Amino acid sequence: MDKFVINGGKPLHGEVSISGAKNAAVAIVAATILADEPVVLENVPEISDISICLKILYEMGASIKIIDKNTMRIDTRGISDPVVPYELARSIRASSYFMGTLLGRFKRADVPPPGGCDLGDRPIDQHLKAFSALGAKHSIDGGIVSLRADELIGNTFFFDKCTVGGTINAICASVKAKGLTVIENAAKEPHIVDLANFLNSMGANIMGAGTDVIKVRGVDFLKGITYTVIPDQIEAGTYMVAAAATKGNVWIKNVIPKHLESITAKLRAVGATVEEFDESVHVYVDGPLLKTTVKTLPHPGFPTDMQPQFSTLLTSAEGTSIVTDDIFDNRFRYVSELRRMGAEITVEGTTAVIQGVEKLTGATVRATDLRAGTALVIAGLMASGTTVVENIFHIERGYENIDAKLNSIGADIKRMSDYDITRKIG
Ligand code: EPU
């Protein structure tokens, strides 16, 4: 398995360009099932979660033409059997979106429960609540979620928990339902707005995406279009934090600064300078990093997907920082790895207490999930000496070319296999 070998201690400097948003692209690729004509998607990140979504479509009968590494033409009209392949579905969280999209098109779907990052229990009860409100029945048998409806009819329902995936599935299942669907306590993340923009460009009638009440009036036909996925908020935030954590000076291009506001505010709170432009942000640090408190919240709050990276920065901030993340049960699994590098962190339930240390030192550490993996890469960039980050397949699920991008801004990071490392050590 590949690893990253990082020679740390070098401030990042220069310009880096952000790829298309993973969490928007996985939803949009799944939503091509609802299109009645072929669609062309641009700015799709070249990451393994997208490859798996495309494989799922292909194995179900879609035709996919890769135009270049970030652009593809997808024609899902050849799908006739709404059954998602088991092993592929188990490897990503976004496979749950095939429940809403297949149900929306075929009024039935057989989908294995989704996989994805192990962040603790990740129930789908709210997704099922939405489908049931629209008139679908579900059963779970042999590990497969089966959804069946004679007709999908618009309804009003309230999510008991603010859920990104549940909101995406509710939109997809209702976009061709009869009449008006009102989704209350909807999630407001940028990828939900992007999905709604994609569907509306094809002729859907979705109002209020980005607020907590979304209204969907069902339509019969969605036409083919060319659509460009938004830039990745979390990839951008990760480079912003990496720039600050290494006391560097980096221009982060191709971003929507509005999506980054909560991250910008926290970086400013720890003493970084963040300048905002139309489509870029400039991050630099020329003094000490300071302690702060962070509490993750649904958008527009501080994203849980940025918590591991930001906590890593705080390991070298002056004083004691407190980070609370209760969106998922298990989002501090990287902490024991950071401790190997000299970080002083204690975790009590969903709160981490981080005592800043003068410096981290290189060690061999293991990525436990996607964002935890990039947190360890940031730690490796901050640390003196050499850090080896194992299990980088987690990172490749969501970051396009992270090693090349980091090297282009002054990092020293190499991808190596076990074989390369054994040879190097002798
Ligand atoms: N929840 C329920 N019942 C449900 C659905 C969710 O109780 O039916 C709970 C979850 O257990 C969690 C909370 O609601 O406590 C929020 O979960 P949500 O449904 O919003 O998360 P998700 O859709 O599974 C997406 C992202 C995650 C990101 C979360 C929160 C995708 C593919 N995944 O997951 O992204 O952390 O929203 O913003 O969009 C990542 O990119 O690294 C990642 C994990």
Side-chain angles (χ1 to χ4, degrees):
M1 256 187 276
D2 284 2
K3 305 165 189 221
F4 283 141
V5 179
I6 304 167
N7 288 311
K10 300 173 178 53
L12 298 180
H13 58 88
E15 274 182 29
V16 64
S17 183
I18 297 308
S19 301
K22 165 178 102 69
N23 288 345
V26 288
I28 289 171
V29 167
T32 60
I33 286 179
L34 293 158
D36 293 286
E37 294 175 343
V39 297
V40 174
L41 299 181
E42 299 174 330
N43 203 33
V44 179
E46 192 185 31
I47 53 174
S48 64
D49 268 19
I50 289 292
S51 311
I52 292 167
C53 283
L54 292 173
K55 269 191 206 145
I56 291 175
L57 285 180
Y58 178 77
E59 288 203 7
M60 286 196 297
S63 93
I64 295 165
K65 182 166 184 264
I66 304 295
I67 297 168
D68 64 43
K69 72 182 180 63
N70 302 115
T71 311
M72 58 214 58
R73 179 182 183 277
I74 303 178
D75 183 352
T76 59
R77 289 174 297 182
I79 299 178
S80 55
D81 193 17
V83 177
V84 174
Y86 192 86
E87 282 311 321
L88 289 173
R90 295 288 291 148
S91 53
I92 53 167
R93 181 70 188 168
S95 57
S96 69
Y97 298 154
F98 291 98
M99 295 193 289
T101 56
L102 290 170
L103 183 67
R105 171 162 154 194
F106 293 97
K107 316 284 177 281
R108 67 190 176 94
D110 288 319
V111 184
C117 287
D118 179 7
L119 310 174
D121 193 23
R122 296 181 77 177
I124 56 165
D125 58 301
Q126 298 302 305
H127 304 232
L128 298 176
K129 177 178 180 175
F131 300 144
S132 152
L134 297 171
K137 295 205 171 351
H138 73 265
S139 60
I140 302 181
D141 193 12
I144 308 289
V145 182
S146 294
L147 298 160
R148 300 287 182 271
D150 295 330
E151 245 190 333
L152 293 170
I153 300 177
N155 198 351
T156 297
F157 52 88
F158 183 91
F159 278 126
D160 305 322
K161 226 169 168 180
C162 185
T163 156
V164 170
T167 302
I168 287 176
N169 258 331
I171 291 173
C172 290
S174 58
V175 82
K176 287 183 160 179
K178 287 206 161 47
L180 181 69
T181 297
V182 181
I183 307 166
E184 295 182 342
N185 195 26
K188 300 189 280 257
E189 270 64 6
H191 26 294
I192 287 172
V193 179
D194 206 35
L195 172 74
N197 287 342
F198 167 68
L199 291 166
N200 281 342
S201 308
M202 292 198 293
N205 187 346
I206 304 165
M207 296 150 285
T211 75
D212 51 17
V213 179
I214 299 178
K215 294 185 178 167
V216 185
R217 195 170 287 284
V219 297
D220 290 333
F221 187 85
L222 295 177
K223 66 173 191 278
I225 52 160
T226 295
Y227 190 80
T228 306
V229 174
I230 52 166
D232 197 305
Q233 171 203 26
I234 304 300
E235 188 198 14
T238 301
Y239 284 99
M240 291 168 78
V241 169
T246 58
K247 302 209 171 164
N249 186 334
V250 180
W251 291 82
I252 295 138
K253 304 254 168 157
N254 185 34
V255 300
I256 299 175
K258 178 95 191 137
H259 293 170
L260 303 172
E261 278 175 348
S262 62
I263 303 162
T264 297
K266 277 295 158 197
L267 282 171
R268 286 179 178 151
V270 297
T273 302
V274 183
E275 295 168 345
E276 296 172 308
F277 299 88
D278 286 348
E279 292 180 1
S280 62
V281 288
H282 178 203
V283 181
Y284 60 93
V285 170
D286 50 18
L289 289 169
L290 312 170
K291 67 177 180 181
T292 192
T293 55
V294 177
K295 163 125 182 62
T296 61
L297 286 168
H299 191 77
F302 190 88
T304 174
D305 290 347
M306 282 302 303
Q307 179 272 110
Q309 303 90 312
F310 205 85
S311 298
T312 300
L313 172 148
L314 293 174
T315 62
S316 69
E318 284 179 3
T320 307
S321 299
I322 313 277
V323 177
T324 308
D325 187 356
D326 57 8
I327 306 256
F328 295 106
D329 305 335
N330 214 354
R331 226 161 180 176
F332 287 109
R333 291 201 304 156
Y334 62 93
V335 162
S336 54
E337 301 300 296
L338 282 184
R339 284 201 202 106
R340 291 174 200 276
M341 301 178 68
E344 287 185 16
I345 310 179
T346 52
V347 178
E348 197 70 52
T350 54
T351 298
V353 178
I354 306 171
Q355 177 63 51
V357 293
E358 203 161 302
K359 68 176 168 54
L360 300 178
T361 47
T364 295
V365 289
R366 180 162 292 177
T368 50
D369 65 63
L370 168 61
R371 309 302 173 187
T374 41
L376 296 176
V377 169
I378 292 173
L381 297 171
M382 293 162 69
S384 60
T386 302
T387 297
V388 178
V389 181
E390 299 178 332
N391 284 0
I392 61 169
F393 65 89
H394 285 295
I395 300 171
E396 290 171 334
R397 289 189 35 225
Y399 289 83
E400 180 172 298
N401 279 335
I402 188 170
D403 45 341
K405 286 190 185 187
L406 284 171
N407 283 331
S408 77
I409 49 174
D412 176 353
I413 167 166
K414 288 187 189 63
R415 175 188 304 263
M416 285 192 174
S417 64
D418 285 336
Y419 173 69
D420 296 327
I421 288 183
T422 318
R423 270 202 325 178
K424 201 171 170 218
I425 296 167

